[in-house]
Amino acid sequence: MTEPKNPEAAASTGPVSRKGLGGKSSATIYDVARVAGVNPSTVSRALSKPGRVSAKTQKLIEHAAAELNYHVNPFARALPTGRTSTLGLIVADITNPTFFGVIRGAEATVTARDYTLMLAESSESPATELTAARRMMTTVDGLILASPRMDDDNIRALARGKPVVVINREVDGVPCVVPDANTGIAEAIRSLAANGHRRIAYVAGPPESWMSRRRWEGVQTACEWSRLEAVRLESSRPTVSGGREVARGVLASGATAVLTYNDLLAIGLMQELQAAAVVVPDRISIVGFDDIFGADFTTPPLTTVRSPMAECGTEAASLLLDALQGIEHPAAILRVETELVLRGSSGRLLPSG
Amino acid sequence: MTEPKNPEAAASTGPVSRKGLGGKSSATIYDVARVAGVNPSTVSRALSKPGRVSAKTQKLIEHAAAELNYHVNPFARALPTGRTSTLGLIVADITNPTFFGVIRGAEATVTARDYTLMLAESSESPATELTAARRMMTTVDGLILASPRMDDDNIRALARGKPVVVINREVDGVPCVVPDANTGIAEAIRSLAANGHRRIAYVAGPPESWMSRRRWEGVQTACEWSRLEAVRLESSRPTVSGGREVARGVLASGATAVLTYNDLLAIGLMQELQAAAVVVPDRISIVGFDDIFGADFTTPPLTTVRSPMAECGTEAASLLLDALQGIEHPAAILRVETELVLRGSSGRLLPSG
DNA sequence: CAAATTTTGGCAACCGGTTGACAAGCGAGC
DNA sequence: GCTCGCTTGTCAACCGGTTGCCAAAATTTG
């Protein structure tokens, strides 16, 4: 017969933290309960279920908690509930300044609402990304995927487990925050057309990038509208060096104005063209995307279609936090505005020769 | 008399996860134990204490775990042990590209060793920083402080709780990773001296910045050695706009070459000087610090003393991870090399008039 | 004033691992 | 064959909260 070894112990107040040894470990609800003269479960309720206990007891407990400098142990809470007060953010590439804004926006929002941000990167690899996402899923309450590279299906599968918000891409059935490229692109093309350009090149990003395809579509549409020719060029990498490599192709294309998938490509392209004594913007106008940090360091400073990435980060985090509180936003897709930032790298085409 | 309600239950195998409902929750050691036909605690030992169980049982358990796609629940593990497989990183300012390298290096290292990185920023405020650090301390196994703004004492207090590594500052009794500014500064001053400069200005960063003071000392020392004059100017903020604001003061100082606390100041300074038709480097040479992302976007590209921040992030993370495994590194301070990156913003002083 | 109803607090069983203590199993040595 | 010592697995008590259920207390109602 199995007998409890020590009935008194079972009936006692429960574990008591050993405050003796240098205050190492912090106070627990059991300590608070003892000081306040109530049951631990009452403490738990007072601290997490507002209105569940009487105002008097509430005050008593809060006082005791303050006195002991009590803070909940996030792990102890996470174990039975699954709630971790942590949000995950996976970016395609930490080196890429496009994501700095996202990280910053998300971090600020999350911290302001007493959550913590976990960061991971996928090195632009769908497989790494999926692994990172799965790993994170066990630890976070929700996940932000910035410019994810994995399939729609994988994203939806993740979203079935816990709330997921996608930035910079539209996935059916998953809340998304996307800069609406079209407005900015239309402005850019209109500006180029007004400056005498007739043939526009678009330098594409990675083939997996949903946003790159989207921008190309936007460029095509806007060009049709303005009766301009649009040609598409591929890049090896969406980086400065990728931009340098594509310079030759740009010249060969006969275009007098170029939009690039992102600012890094634009900067690399501009550097290489200038090295070949091609004057920007007199002979070729260059327009980037994103308005990343440093886009205005160049000479001439880069004209670019600004995507408010920090805002995307903020919005994505808010969406997630709201969802966790049961506030469902009806709109599956949140579009944030883009706009043309007109600087020196685009302008009137000088007659050649 | 307190009687156990259900003796059989107490003697049973223990909790069993409900795999019925859509495979929601993942397998536990209890599931693995059942499949392998052993006790849960044996599973726990097999998976975390190598050599504690026989090779035969080990294989049996590993097989069962693989079959069930078992993964430990980090919270369940963290609760009794305190180990979380998570490292914290606090940077002074996420916007500041100096830290991009740190974040990147730390993230990569931590992930490679199966840890996760938690990120927070202090907005350059000692109080916010301390709050963030305290908050993190409850959740992480160790903490990296990049360019901390709080007192030495507070840092030491944190370090008494859990392993802490500091980047970009030296704190007695706490392991630190610091770029050794002197080598790079010496190179820079030598180069400037060789180019005919005699009066050098240093634009300082925030007064709380240990590294700013250190760099100023380095500049002074190197100038004495080369028999140059060194003057110090203050900046309002260590940013591009802070750099613009200090331009007037730089001109007034009569210096023909300027080192700035960081690259952002240098870039802002250069923009403002150029706007005032002061040719760089013909009339004034500019040298930054850090070689941040975008330092080579400017025209002329920025000469700068490179601090390998990604390496700092990597080293700090490694130090921390080693410490957690009981591998103590004897050296309290790890110095990483700095070097002059000579670009176009510094050079020979043209005779004025 | 008693009965019905609503609050409020306590009990105890979890969540999923870890670990000290201990006993069974096993081979070696005498 | 028996004792000793070492390896290996089991038991049960945690870690620190959360929560369903129930009863006591307080409040409303008839």
Side-chain angles (χ1 to χ4, degrees), chain A residues 90-113:
Chain A
I90 299 183
V91 298
D93 174 10
I94 300 197
T95 327
N96 187 330
T98 313
F99 298 114
F100 296 158
V102 176
I103 297 176
R104 190 173 140 70
E107 207 279 337
T109 308
V110 154
T111 307
R113 290 177 55 175

Side-chain angles (χ1 to χ4, degrees), chain B residues 39 41-42 45 52-54 57 80:
Chain B
N39 189 284
S41 56
T42 306
R45 291 210 172 88
R52 179 60 173 74
V53 302
S54 68
T57 321

